[in-house]
Amino acid sequence: MSSDDLLSIGAFALVSGLSIHALRHYDELGLLRPAVVDPVTGYRRYRPEQVRQARLICALRRVDVPIDAVRVVVDDSDGESLRTVLRQHRERLVDRAQVLSRMVRVVAH
């Protein structure tokens, strides 16, 4: 793949739905590494094939799935963990909603 086929971090942010700040953070965490980092400028460039993974990360983070759980899904080669992570996260959200609902009733009272 030539460097002409790579996307700048700005272009990748636009097509993936992730902010440039998030992309830098996920690089630091090792969650979504750029295909190339220029050793002189530090510019990050991504392969078009990475867009799918970035969009998955974006969707999971949008519903507040913890980074460690996102990592499990991203590292899973056969895709089985997504269903488990989403089920567990749904249970956490339901629990949180119940706690918040009780708090609202207390405040209203």
Side-chain angles (χ1 to χ4, degrees), residues 43-92:
Y43 288 170
R44 294 166 171 89
R45 297 180 54 86
Y46 295 83
R47 293 185 318 275
E49 298 82 34
Q50 291 179 281
V51 171
R52 183 175 181 204
Q53 182 180 26
R55 286 181 177 166
L56 174 61
I57 292 168
C58 183
L60 292 171
R61 292 299 295 147
R62 190 172 290 133
V63 294
D64 208 24
V65 173
I67 292 287
D68 289 340
V70 172
R71 185 181 308 281
V72 167
V73 172
V74 168
D75 290 346
D76 183 14
S77 60
D78 60 13
E80 291 297 316
S81 65
L82 178 59
R83 182 168 279 133
T84 300
V85 163
L86 289 176
R87 182 183 46 75
Q88 291 169 345
H89 187 60
R90 182 186 180 284
E91 291 170 4
R92 282 191 303 271

Side-chain angles (χ1 to χ4, degrees), residues 30-43:
L31 186 62
L32 181 60
R33 296 261 189 219
V36 174
V37 178
D38 185 289
V40 176
T41 64
Y43 288 170

Side-chain angles (χ1 to χ4, degrees), residues 1-12:
M1 171 176 289
S2 77
S3 63
D4 292 340
D5 296 332
L6 298 175
L7 300 167
S8 69
I9 193 169
F12 193 74

